[in-house]
Amino acid sequence: MGPVTVARLDARFAALKTEGRAGLVTFVTSGDPDPATSQAILDGLPAAGADVIELGMPFTDPMADGPAIQAASLRALKAGQTVVKTLDMVRAFRAKDADTPIVLMGYYNPIYSYGRDRFLADAVEAGVDGLIVVDLPPEEDAELCLPAMDAGLAFIRLATPTTDEKRLPVVLANTSGFVYYVSIAGVTGTATPDPERVAQAVAGIKAHTRLPVAVGFGVKTPEQAAAFARTADAVVVGSALVAAVANTLDDDGRATDATTHAVIDLVKDLANGIQSARSGAAA
């Protein structure tokens, strides 16, 4: 297997460690609520304080996602979003930003339908840095994980509260970029995680890997982000940003003048929360 090149991700987490702070990983659904608004949101995230961007690939059956992200996927699909258009969004972003890592997050079905090898080649060419594919377990690494790493993409794996000591090494075996710790049992955005339990879990994962650990699922406020930033290398916020889109749409589900601003303003607040927790969390 060839070397996996995760230069942008590695560089970003190294910079965060030098700064002595956790990173902010923002999740938005590509194409939600429409292509132009979605591109404007994506392009505005780094200046607002996003250190890493997860870009959701909409899918009709997002089984790991809660109501907010499910609704975002359906809005995006209704607006005509496709894998091709998602990759085009990354290309447009890369024309302005060569440094901020972008990770595509989603499910295997759209990738399989697109054609695995074609998808990997096009993703690398577009400027994608990694993948999170939530419905492919480590037992299926030959299907996508190993080819993705061969192509130069990080393959980021989820660890959960139900991942025990025996399972963890299996989960981590071919993981690269960072480890995404799911802080609650269940789907995205539906419960509030307990900072003490999360801290213990992060310490447990770090005993098995040198990769950075990002904590997500259920983080909605700057205060929550700050709490997790004290122990994790990064904090992931998704459902709250997607809800900010939904809350600003008009009665016909279309974007308003407030839509992009609402997401960007929330990212700024979250980034400030994480900055306030500057305690050498990433050291």
Side-chain angles (χ1 to χ4, degrees):
M1 190 174 75
V4 58
T5 345
V6 285
R8 261 189 292 254
L9 278 165
D10 286 350
R12 182 53 48 97
F13 278 106
L16 290 168
K17 192 167 185 177
T18 300
E19 292 175 36
R21 70 172 178 90
L24 174 60
V25 181
T26 55
F27 170 94
V28 291
T29 299
S30 66
D32 174 36
D34 62 73
T37 305
S38 186
Q39 187 76 54
I41 290 169
L42 177 65
D43 292 348
L45 289 173
D51 297 297
V52 177
I53 296 168
E54 288 178 10
L55 188 59
M57 297 184 288
F59 180 47
T60 50
D61 187 24
M63 66 191 92
D65 293 303
I69 293 175
Q70 285 184 24
S73 265
L74 294 176
R75 285 194 300 268
L77 292 169
K78 187 179 176 184
Q81 191 68 6
T82 63
V83 173
V84 169
K85 289 180 179 177
T86 298
L87 294 175
D88 284 342
M89 282 183 67
V90 178
R91 284 189 192 92
F93 176 88
R94 280 282 167 249
K96 304 171 187 173
D97 186 316
D99 300 319
T100 304
I102 289 189
V103 174
L104 294 183
M105 184 170 186
Y107 299 81
Y108 188 45
N109 183 283
I111 296 171
Y112 180 82
S113 300
Y114 189 93
R116 181 194 70 187
D117 294 345
R118 172 183 166 225
F119 172 81
L120 294 174
D122 289 354
V124 170
E125 182 272 327
V128 173
D129 299 287
L131 302 175
I132 301 173
V133 182
V134 298
D135 55 349
L136 278 181
E139 288 75 14
E140 305 296 334
D141 275 358
E143 183 67 33
L144 183 65
C145 171
L146 300 181
M149 292 167 73
D150 273 342
L153 293 165
F155 202 85
I156 295 140
R157 195 85 71 188
L158 305 182
T160 74
T162 57
T163 307
D164 61 23
E165 286 286 317
K166 279 187 181 174
R167 181 68 175 164
L168 191 57
V170 178
V171 169
L172 296 174
N174 289 315
T175 300
S176 52
F178 61 92
V179 180
Y180 187 149
Y181 179 67
V182 175
S183 58
I184 55 171
V187 295
T188 55
T190 55
T192 302
D194 174 359
E196 282 189 29
R197 284 189 182 177
V198 170
Q200 291 170 357
V202 169
I205 294 169
K206 284 181 167 289
H208 289 271
T209 181
R210 298 179 68 179
L211 288 170
V213 179
V215 173
F217 278 49
V219 182
K220 295 177 180 174
T221 67
E223 293 74 24
Q224 288 173 337
F228 297 124
R230 293 187 182 97
T231 51
D233 298 295
V235 179
V236 187
V237 182
S239 292
L241 300 180
V242 170
V245 171
N247 293 339
T248 58
L249 302 179
D250 67 17
D251 292 342
D252 296 317
R254 290 190 295 252
T256 63
D257 291 343
T259 303
T260 301
H261 294 296
V263 177
I264 297 305
D265 288 347
L266 179 52
V267 171
K268 288 177 181 174
D269 289 344
L270 291 161
N272 287 336
I274 288 174
Q275 286 280 10
S276 74
R278 196 183 174 100
S279 60

